[in-house]
């Protein structure tokens, strides 16, 4: 089959690889119909996440049709021929984390837990195509994928919605929703969202859906800010104005009630000297992540507010505003999305027309053109917001 | 170390060190010529250095014998052999026979040194490993899974086979570093269903070992805390441990990984595999990894031969 492989830092190619097969009894094999490139794939491609190996198949947002199930799969839950959307974290369904519905913290699904433990203290769930730190699972930017614990993970879809309306249930839509949900939004809240990529856009939509009075998008790409403005959100271009002053100005000096970091470890900063400081430290591995967005969110948030982090961080940062966090009673909440929790309720919202996932799609291309897609997305060319790859 | 002081082989090596060291320090030029080596200033300096080392070893072995001096001699032998091999390769021909003879003598002495060091290094040094995990199953279930001893090899990396030989006895076979296999008979010494299981190896074991697993209810009815303690006497003691570690065998990490796989097996019925780590419990130390892409049919065949899938 054809698959998108990581072949080294900044290098991606579509290669012929063997078809996947059932390795464990509770596996299924899914023939992929649609898949997508996620912003967090860029952290992998750029080489900032440890534990990538040449030849790894990328991709963790995918959906398709079940073509094979292992002997141990509960067939009342999933059968050959089912149309499924596959959530990116792999959950076992049986451990304490899964029972507490913290699926992205599954205690059993990462066979490289020993490695993850050294970096994170406790291991986290396996994720498709997301480095060997999260298990070394083959990814879904391919024609087929193996899905472990098939009776626990995929959402079986009976609706006749097309792929584009369903695909983002695998990651970016629930991730954006969880970012807003973690903010505990109450009627009248002002919510600021750093990063107007697909996750940021869905965080804004969700914030409004949950009762926010005003939503503010912070980014530097005009086309992303335009996309947010088209939905009626206010915007800040961090390249041209000082974010904190702008936020204070827009909130009568209080600061936003709730802040979302939908950026993560490769954030850029409007001030060249601050950006240079973190890039230099990152280059010599003195810190692993550039936490500009996170710092700004913490210092801008109103006292007693919530900072919700779904942007991906990998390791250790420096100059973390711990004083602001503590002295101003901020709540910090974070997590890889526990996708399984949100798939069904969000599917219902899509069916009722409350949310339109397709609004972020700017590019559609066949799987074999994935390297071109990475190039467009990474360099933000052709106003690229979200790419859907068709694998058929 | 009183036994080492009376050990004739250790005393003999101490005296041999002195006999070699004294002339090397006193008359380095004569010694160099004697073994068919030119007696220039470099050779003389090297001979004195070797002599000082021999005298240090002699003092250590005769005055305060400890295995470390024996291993020091082995290290010295390696250096000597390297020097002599280099000399042989660059030899101008005069006295070549004597150099060859000296090399053979050092090689013979090396064999004796290695034998002495290995056999005299503390066999009694016991290693204790502990690890713990929490599983969501009730204590009776977790205990029952462990009590079926034949099933232990599905999640314990080093175990190849456990076979019941009686009501409380069993035979164990495990892989050891450097491709060796060790076997022992064991008996259950304590067995309280749902609570504790302890065992120890019987006389004649390749490696004396004992262990126990305690199962206790986790707070709030959230499952079972599993505490494992393993004690075993490693051959070659601390040095064996260091060498094993150098080759990627970190015992405490391995026990942690074993217990993690126990949790996977008892909670989900499977030892989880990924394309990057397809070999289940055999993915020791989690390195090296296969790229995260599906396996070829040849790799799959090799994997099915391992026969450790639970499902």
């Amino acid at each position: 089959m054809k698959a998108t492989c990581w072949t080294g830092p900044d290098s991606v190619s579509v290669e012929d690889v063997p078809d996947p097969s059932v390795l464990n009894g509770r596996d299924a094999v899914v023939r992929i119909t649609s898949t997508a490139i996620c912003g967090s794939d860029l952290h992998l491609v750029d080489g900032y996440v440890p534990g990538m190996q040449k030849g790894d198949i990328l991709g963790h947002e995918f959906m398709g049709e079940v073509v094979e199930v292992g002997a141990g799969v509960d067939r009342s839950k999933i059968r050959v021929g089912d149309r499924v959307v596959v959530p990116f974290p792999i959950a076992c369904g049986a451990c304490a984390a899964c029972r507490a519905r913290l699926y992205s913290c599954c205690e059993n699904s990462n066979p490289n837990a020993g490695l993850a433990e050294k970096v994170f203290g406790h291991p986290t769930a396996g994720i498709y195509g997301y480095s060997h730190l999260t298990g070394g699972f083959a990814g879904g930017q391919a024609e087929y994928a193996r899905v472990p614990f098939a009776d626990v993970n995929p959402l079986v879809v009976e609706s006749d919605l097309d792929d584009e309306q369903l695909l983002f249930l695998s990651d970016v839509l629930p991730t954006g929703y969880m970012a807003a949900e973690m903010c505990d939004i109450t009627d009248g809240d002002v919510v600021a969202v750093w990063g107007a990529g697909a996750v940021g856009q869905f965080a804004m939509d969700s914030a409004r859906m949950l009762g926010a009075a005003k939503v503010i998008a912070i980014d530097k790409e005009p086309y992303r800010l335009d996309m947010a403005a088209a939905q009626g959100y206010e915007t800040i271009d961090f390249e041209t104005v000082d974010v904190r002053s702008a936020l204070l100005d827009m909130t009568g000096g209080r600061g936003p009630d709730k802040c979302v970091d939908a950026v993560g470890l490769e954030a850029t900063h409007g001030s060249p000297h601050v950006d240079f400081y973190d890039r230099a430290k990152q280059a010599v591995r003195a810190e692993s992540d550039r936490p500009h967005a996170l710092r700004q969110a913490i210092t801008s948030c109103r006292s007693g507010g919530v900072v919700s982090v779904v942007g991906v961080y990998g390791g250790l940062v420096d100059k973390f505003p711990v004083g602001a966090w503590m002295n101003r009673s901020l709540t910090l909440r974070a997590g890889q999305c526990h996708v399984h929790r949100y798939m069904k309720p969000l599917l219902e919202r899509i069916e009722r027309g409350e949310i339109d996932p397709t609004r972020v799609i700017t590019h559609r291309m066949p799987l074999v053109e994935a390297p071109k897609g990475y190039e467009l997305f990474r360099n933000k060319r052709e106003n690229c917001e979200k790419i859907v790859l068709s694998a058929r | 170390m009183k036994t080492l002081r009376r050990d004739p082989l250790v005393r003999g090596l101490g005296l041999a060190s002195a006999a070699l060291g004294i002339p090397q320090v006193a008359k380095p030029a004569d010694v160099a010529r004697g073994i068919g080596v030119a007696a220039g200033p470099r050779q003389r300096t090297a001979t004195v250095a070797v002599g000082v080392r021999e005298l240090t070893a002699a003092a250590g072995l005769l005055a305060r014998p400890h295995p470390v001096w024996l291993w020091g001699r082995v290290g010295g032998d390696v250096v000597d052999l390297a020097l002599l091999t280099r000399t042989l390769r660059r030899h101008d021909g005069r006295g070549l026979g004597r150099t060859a003879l000296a090399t053979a003598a050092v090689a013979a002495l090396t064999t004796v040194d290695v034998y002495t060091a290995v056999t005299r290094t503390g066999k009694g040094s016991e290693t204790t490993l502990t690890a713990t995990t929490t599983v969501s199953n009730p204590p009776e279930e977790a205990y029952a899974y462990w009590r079926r001893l034949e099933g232990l090899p599905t999640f314990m990396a080093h175990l190849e086979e456990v076979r019941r030989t009686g009501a409380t006895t069993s035979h164990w076979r495990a892989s050891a570093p450097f491709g060796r296999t060790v076997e022992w008979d064991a008996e259950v010494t304590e067995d309280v269903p749902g609570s504790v299981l302890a065992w120890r190896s019987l006389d004649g074991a390749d490696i004396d070992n004992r262990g126990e697993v305690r199962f206790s209810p986790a707070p709030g009815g959230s499952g079972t805390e599993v505490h494992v303690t393993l004690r075993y006497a490693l051959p070659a003691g601390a040095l064996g441990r260091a060498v094993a570690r150098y080759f990627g065998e970190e015992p405490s990490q391995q026990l942690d990984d074993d217990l993690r796989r126990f949790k996977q097996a008892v909670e989900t019925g499977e030892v989880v595999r990924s394309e990057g780590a397809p070999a289940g419990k055999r993915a020791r130390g989690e390195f090296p990894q296969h790229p995260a892409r599906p396996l070829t049919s040849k790799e799959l065949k090799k994997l099915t031969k391992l026969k450790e899938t639970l499902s």
Side-chain angles (χ1 to χ4, degrees):
Chain A
M1 67 163 181
K2 297 249 182 289
T4 310
C5 300
W6 185 81
T7 45
D10 308 335
S11 162
V12 169
S13 72
V14 172
E15 296 180 6
D16 280 308
V17 301
D19 287 349
S21 49
V22 167
L23 282 182
N24 276 100
R26 289 176 67 190
D27 292 351
V29 176
V30 171
R31 183 177 61 82
I32 296 167
T33 51
S34 294
T35 174
I37 303 177
C38 178
S40 54
D41 286 330
L42 300 180
H43 304 315
L44 303 174
V45 170
D46 293 351
Y48 285 114
V49 175
M52 289 299 285
Q53 195 164 327
K54 284 180 188 171
D56 287 352
I57 299 175
L58 293 164
H60 54 267
E61 293 176 306
F62 61 96
M63 62 177 294
E65 185 193 327
V66 177
V67 291
E68 192 185 344
V69 293
V73 172
D74 179 350
R75 271 151 231 257
S76 69
K77 303 264 171 65
I78 188 167
R79 285 185 210 93
V80 168
D82 281 349
R83 187 181 186 210
V84 290
V85 185
V86 181
F88 77 86
I90 300 169
C92 77
C95 66
C98 287
R99 287 172 179 216
R101 307 187 75 210
L102 295 163
Y103 301 101
S104 72
C105 301
C106 174
E107 295 161 8
N108 284 324
S109 63
N110 184 350
N112 295 333
L115 290 179
E117 205 168 59
K118 286 186 177 65
V119 181
F120 296 146
H122 291 281
T124 52
I127 300 178
Y128 304 93
Y130 207 73
S131 91
H132 290 250
L133 212 56
T134 59
F137 289 94
Q141 283 163 18
E143 291 180 275
Y144 294 89
R146 166 188 165 247
V147 174
F149 302 117
D151 38 14
V152 173
N153 285 290
L155 173 74
V156 177
V157 184
E158 275 151 18
S159 139
D160 55 0
L161 291 171
D162 61 25
D163 275 19
E164 288 188 355
Q165 287 168 299
L166 297 168
L167 175 61
F168 300 148
L169 285 171
S170 62
D171 178 354
V172 282
L173 178 57
T175 299
Y177 183 85
M178 184 166 117
E181 193 197 57
M182 287 193 294
C183 287
D184 290 338
I185 293 168
T186 51
D187 283 348
D189 272 352
V190 177
V191 179
V193 178
W194 274 256
V199 169
Q201 300 283 347
F202 290 140
M204 295 175 218
D205 293 352
S206 306
R208 185 162 61 186
M209 211 155 60
L210 294 172
K214 179 149 73 173
V215 176
I216 303 166
I218 302 158
D219 205 296
K220 67 168 178 173
E221 301 299 332
Y223 71 91
R224 292 175 151 195
L225 293 173
D226 290 347
M227 190 179 260
Q231 299 297 316
Y233 309 134
E234 294 183 29
T235 62
I236 295 174
D237 177 350
F238 70 78
E239 290 266 81
T240 57
V241 297
D242 177 68
V243 173
R244 189 171 164 277
S245 315
L247 283 171
L248 292 184
D249 202 38
M250 293 156 100
T251 56
R254 302 184 307 276
D257 301 295
K258 310 289 159 66
C259 296
V260 171
D261 170 358
V263 180
L265 66 86
E266 284 183 88
T268 53
H269 194 282
S271 306
H273 65 282
V274 182
D275 201 35
F276 177 79
Y277 169 82
D278 273 311
R279 279 176 187 269
K281 293 209 76 171
Q282 199 179 30
V284 298
R285 301 285 184 258
E287 69 178 339
S288 58
D289 304 32
R290 303 196 300 258
H292 300 317
L294 182 58
R295 287 190 194 121
Q296 234 170 34
I298 292 173
T299 48
S300 306
C301 193
R302 74 144 158 92
S303 292
V306 178
V307 176
S308 154
V309 185
V310 291
V312 174
Y313 290 94
L316 304 165
V317 299
D318 165 22
K319 301 279 187 289
F320 178 82
V322 64
W325 173 39
M326 184 270 157
N327 288 289
R328 294 201 296 107
S329 295
L330 297 179
T331 299
L332 251 61
R333 299 180 72 182
Q336 289 280 12
C337 184
H338 306 297
V339 179
H340 309 60
R341 279 192 209 172
Y342 303 105
M343 290 178 98
K344 242 192 202 134
L346 284 174
L347 173 63
E348 285 161 14
R349 282 185 190 267
I350 295 169
E351 284 171 335
R352 290 199 298 265
E354 290 171 31
I355 199 160
D356 173 22
T358 63
R359 79 169 182 86
V360 299
I361 302 173
T362 52
H363 289 70
R364 299 165 174 90
M365 53 184 76
L367 176 69
V368 288
E369 285 179 29
K372 182 185 148 203
Y374 271 93
E375 200 268 327
L376 290 178
F377 187 38
R378 184 163 181 260
N379 300 309
K380 305 197 173 62
R381 297 196 323 161
E382 295 181 7
N383 293 348
C384 180
E385 177 82 350
K386 187 72 181 173
I387 300 171
V388 173
L389 302 168
S390 60
R392 304 180 105 141
Chain B
M1 288 298 152
K2 268 184 185 145
T3 47
L4 269 191
R5 199 184 290 271
R6 279 193 302 257
D7 191 319
L9 203 47
V10 174
R11 273 190 74 80
L13 285 176
L15 293 171
S17 285
L20 286 166
I22 291 166
Q24 279 167 338
V25 171
K27 301 235 169 190
D30 292 348
V31 172
R33 270 193 293 273
I35 60 167
V37 175
R42 265 184 50 221
Q43 286 83 353
R44 283 207 300 272
T45 315
T47 310
V48 171
V50 170
V52 169
R53 196 196 70 215
E54 292 284 6
L55 289 177
T56 313
L61 285 171
L62 295 173
R64 308 203 59 177
H66 186 275
V68 76
W69 295 112
L70 295 167
W71 287 107
R73 274 197 58 83
V74 173
D77 292 333
V78 173
V79 174
D80 290 355
L81 283 173
L83 284 172
L84 284 163
T85 317
R86 215 179 73 153
T87 311
L88 275 175
R89 219 181 293 140
R90 299 182 180 176
H91 216 285
D92 60 5
R94 284 180 53 200
L96 180 61
R98 272 176 287 155
T99 311
L101 203 65
T103 311
V106 173
L109 198 55
T110 306
T111 317
V112 179
D113 283 334
V114 170
Y115 172 78
T116 316
V118 169
T119 51
R120 268 63 175 176
T121 300
K123 207 170 179 161
S125 87
E126 197 180 57
T127 299
T128 301
L129 297 175
T130 58
T132 178
T133 191
T134 299
V135 298
S136 49
N137 313 57
E140 296 70 32
E141 230 174 275
Y143 161 87
Y145 199 92
W146 202 291
R147 185 65 185 86
R148 208 179 62 83
L149 298 175
E150 300 92 317
L152 297 184
T154 50
F155 62 88
M156 301 202 89
H158 281 92
L159 284 184
E160 288 175 1
E161 192 195 1
V162 180
R163 190 160 35 82
R164 252 170 227 251
T165 52
T168 60
T169 56
S170 48
H171 185 78
W172 299 53
R173 185 158 53 84
S175 64
F178 313 115
R180 292 184 314 130
T181 304
V182 290
E183 303 198 32
W184 66 91
D185 285 304
E187 67 169 358
V188 171
T189 52
E190 196 185 351
D191 188 358
V192 184
S195 167
V196 62
L197 182 65
W199 65 92
R200 68 175 182 89
S201 62
L202 297 170
D203 287 346
D206 285 341
I207 295 177
D208 291 331
N209 66 86
R210 59 208 160 94
E212 67 171 42
V213 200
R214 291 189 173 273
F215 304 88
S216 53
S222 55
T224 306
E225 289 180 9
V226 183
H227 293 268
V228 181
T229 309
L230 291 183
R231 293 191 174 84
Y232 58 94
L234 265 186
L239 189 96
R241 267 199 298 282
V243 172
R245 226 164 259 175
Y246 179 80
F247 287 99
E249 305 260 344
E250 170 54 76
S252 63
Q253 177 70 54
Q254 277 165 16
L255 183 59
D256 285 346
D257 291 343
D258 284 346
L259 212 50
R260 233 193 295 275
R261 283 184 293 263
F262 167 73
K263 179 175 161 72
Q264 290 171 0
V266 76
E267 287 187 345
T268 78
E270 295 184 345
V271 169
V272 179
R273 292 155 202 270
S274 69
E275 287 76 6
K281 70 159 186 160
R282 272 165 220 261
R284 259 185 223 162
E286 294 159 2
F287 281 110
Q289 294 251 319
H290 181 279
R293 56 161 68 181
L295 281 74
T296 62
S297 50
K298 213 169 128 190
E299 288 164 335
L300 270 172
K301 238 179 242 158
K302 219 168 116 191
L303 198 67
T304 44
K305 263 195 208 142
L306 295 178
K307 282 186 200 156
E308 49 191 51
T309 320
L310 290 168
S311 42

